[in-house]
Amino acid sequence: MNTNRSSELFGKAKTLMPGGVNSPVRAFGSVGREPLFIAGSRGDRITDADGNEYIDYVCSWGPDILGHAHPTVIKAVKRACDNGLTYGACHEGEVLLAEKIKAHYPSMELLRLVNSGTEAVMSAVRAARGFTGRDKIVKFEGCYHGHSDGLLVKGGSGLLTGSVPDSAGVPAGFTEATLLARYNDAGSVQSLFEQYTDSIAAVIVEPCAANMGVVPPKDGFLQTLRDITAQYGALLIFDEVITGFRLSAGGAQEYYGIKPDMTVLGKIAGGGMPLAAYGGRKEIMEQIAPLGAVYQAGTLSGNPIATAAGIAQITQIEQTPDLYSELDRKAGILENATKKAGLNVNRVGSLMTVFFSDTPVTDYDTAQSADRTEYARFFSYLLEKGIYTAPSQFEAMFVSYAHSDDDIVKTAEIISRYRKEN
Ligand SMILES: *Cc1c(COP(=O)(O)O)cnc(C)c1O
């Protein structure tokens, strides 16, 4: 595999950007390789700067659920560009996208469009605090909610690998109001509420965790969170930045049948453009300026190109009735091959993670027991055979609608040979 051009670009990138990257996981640090520079993408394939082609199971970490460069989305973006890239003023695209989101997420009675998942979570948490007049937030070990100060505590995702267990530069006071609970352990949440009865504003959770690798909620876990938060007058926030439009058009809340007070969306909702959303019950969202006293704003929020991409992608999702059954079928083929190969795998719909661990992975601690060195070997084995997966044990594999049966079968065959050849 010739990767000279990627290597050359990485050399230059390192002199310009910390670690040569604009987001840490891209540096391939935890798999001990140099990153590939991507030159283009289409359908289920990406091509690197040296012309090597890969079947892609990262899919930009989720947004590309229809595959890369979906013609409908690309056309909508090109058309939108002709009308200018940004106005910093109201436009019809914002209304159309908000309407579409609300149709699929009726719990988001009012919502705001912003530019990233991080920003959306940060804003949702501020709204929850403003509404309840309380300060504390409960989050779960291994759940990732973006890189804002208060939530960088046992954050999952890139934070679980490499040498950054947490972040420097966050004053202790900023995380004082963040309480940690164990995923899939409702008892740990109950005890926090018993201790901090009147000071917890919200519980924030990835309804299906996907940033410590995929860890599905146990039966009853989400319902118990719903019950406890209601009982103590706190809000339940679903961070559906990954699961939104992924587990179903209505996200995890539709998939599991639990209605949160607030929801955060990102990734798929923006069709591949920088767009995210947060919203919830009307009386909570009415606290946001200009209606209320919780301030949140954005120069590029609701950007017309981003809304055009989001509208086109969600419309395409609506017009693909077999989308979720096909995603499930395709990912199921990979899951079966992985199990047959004797590997440990967690899967929910089109999200899956192969864990190099002998015990079932149900929370942060069991995820941490996975063997990262073996994962690195697995990653390289796949990459050298033309299959691009997450360069970290603690991320998901994303299957898209564009993954062809041939490519799925090819991937399944390669995975099933892994143990024999390693
Ligand atoms: C990706 C992600 C975020 C952060 O979104 P960005 O757009 O990367 O800021 C937040 N929450 C979850 C669950 C995510 O997967």
Side-chain angles (χ1 to χ4, degrees):
M1 202 163 98
N2 171 13
T3 55
N4 292 341
R5 181 68 184 142
S6 277
S7 235
E8 200 181 305
L9 286 169
F10 187 49
K12 222 182 252 177
K14 281 189 288 189
T15 69
L16 299 165
M17 294 170 280
V21 295
N22 285 312
S23 195
V25 73
R26 297 180 196 170
F28 281 27
S30 55
V31 290
R33 300 181 70 106
E34 285 195 343
L36 298 170
F37 279 66
I38 305 307
S41 65
R42 183 160 303 269
D44 67 356
R45 304 287 179 121
I46 50 171
T47 306
D48 71 17
D50 292 278
N52 304 302
E53 199 179 66
Y54 308 86
I55 305 171
D56 178 25
Y57 292 99
V58 177
C59 291
S60 189
W61 307 100
D64 289 335
I65 191 169
L66 303 171
H68 292 284
H70 191 283
T72 306
V73 179
I74 299 295
K75 204 167 97 191
V77 167
K78 284 184 174 165
R79 200 182 317 122
C81 286
D82 288 339
N83 293 322
L85 301 182
T86 174
Y87 318 127
C90 304
H91 65 96
E92 190 174 3
E94 299 170 294
V95 179
L96 294 176
L97 181 58
E99 208 171 26
K100 276 211 177 292
I101 290 174
K102 189 174 166 181
H104 293 287
Y105 297 80
S107 68
M108 299 171 83
E109 294 170 355
L110 285 176
L111 63 104
R112 266 277 160 87
L113 301 177
V114 294
N115 305 287
S116 73
T118 296
E119 191 188 351
V121 168
M122 196 180 80
S123 309
V125 165
R126 185 179 297 161
R129 286 176 166 149
F131 177 72
T132 57
R134 301 172 176 184
D135 284 345
K136 296 201 187 305
I137 300 292
V138 174
K139 87 169 279 287
F140 294 90
E141 293 175 347
C143 282
Y144 178 65
H145 303 293
H147 64 89
S148 68
D149 284 335
L151 293 167
L152 277 181
V153 186
K154 291 217 176 173
S157 201
L159 297 171
L160 288 185
T161 40
S163 54
V164 221
D166 228 323
S167 178
V170 178
F174 285 31
T175 51
E176 235 170 52
T178 309
L179 306 171
L180 272 179
R182 276 185 302 277
Y183 198 78
N184 274 329
D185 178 355
S188 69
V189 181
Q190 179 68 38
S191 1
L192 288 174
F193 273 101
E194 281 162 15
Q195 194 178 345
Y196 300 99
T197 307
D198 296 319
S199 47
I200 297 175
V203 172
I204 185 165
V205 66
E206 288 183 71
C208 170
N211 283 292
M212 50 178 148
V214 174
V215 178
K218 285 186 179 160
D219 279 354
F221 176 60
L222 297 175
Q223 183 62 54
T224 310
L225 296 186
R226 181 62 287 182
D227 296 343
I228 297 175
T229 45
Q231 180 193 340
Y232 287 92
L235 305 182
L236 179 60
I237 305 175
F238 274 7
D239 181 346
E240 297 227 40
V241 173
I242 281 190
T243 56
F245 295 103
R246 168 66 56 184
L247 298 190
S248 74
Q253 50 199 271
E254 179 179 271
Y255 190 83
Y256 296 113
I258 306 285
K259 190 175 171 187
D261 301 294
M262 299 191 78
T263 299
V264 182
L265 297 171
K267 298 187 171 121
I268 295 175
M273 294 293 291
L275 182 142
Y278 72 99
R281 275 162 40 205
K282 192 160 169 279
E283 62 270 30
I284 303 167
M285 292 301 290
E286 280 174 348
Q287 303 301 311
I288 312 286
L291 291 181
V294 175
Y295 193 70
Q296 181 267 312
T299 303
L300 294 175
S301 289
N303 171 272
I305 312 304
T307 54
I311 293 163
Q313 175 140 286
I314 295 169
T315 304
Q316 195 61 36
I317 286 172
E318 289 163 349
Q319 292 171 358
T320 311
D322 67 347
L323 173 61
Y324 295 101
S325 57
E326 275 295 281
L327 291 175
D328 192 53
R329 183 183 66 81
K330 289 171 186 184
I333 295 171
L334 297 179
E335 180 191 19
N336 287 340
T338 310
K339 281 184 174 158
K340 246 192 237 159
L343 304 175
N344 191 351
V345 58
N346 279 357
R347 177 177 79 90
V348 180
S350 55
L351 293 172
M352 63 180 258
T353 300
V354 181
F355 284 105
F356 289 92
S357 162
D358 297 328
T359 47
V361 174
T362 57
D363 59 14
Y364 177 81
D365 288 337
T366 44
Q368 284 295 290
S369 75
D371 183 343
R372 295 157 213 217
T373 312
E374 169 110 36
Y375 183 87
R377 196 178 307 135
F378 179 66
F379 171 84
S380 284
Y381 173 81
L382 293 179
L383 192 71
E384 280 154 24
K385 292 184 161 47
I387 295 166
Y388 185 90
T389 55
S392 157
Q393 170 68 88
F394 307 108
E395 305 280 1
M397 253 175 111
F398 297 88
V399 176
S400 83
Y401 192 68
H403 280 86
S404 69
D405 278 0
D406 281 356
D407 282 349
I408 291 282
V409 167
K410 184 176 166 195
T411 307
E413 280 168 359
I414 290 168
I415 290 176
S416 62
R417 286 200 301 275
Y418 172 71
R419 276 285 196 230
K420 281 173 222 142
E421 295 178 15
N422 286 275

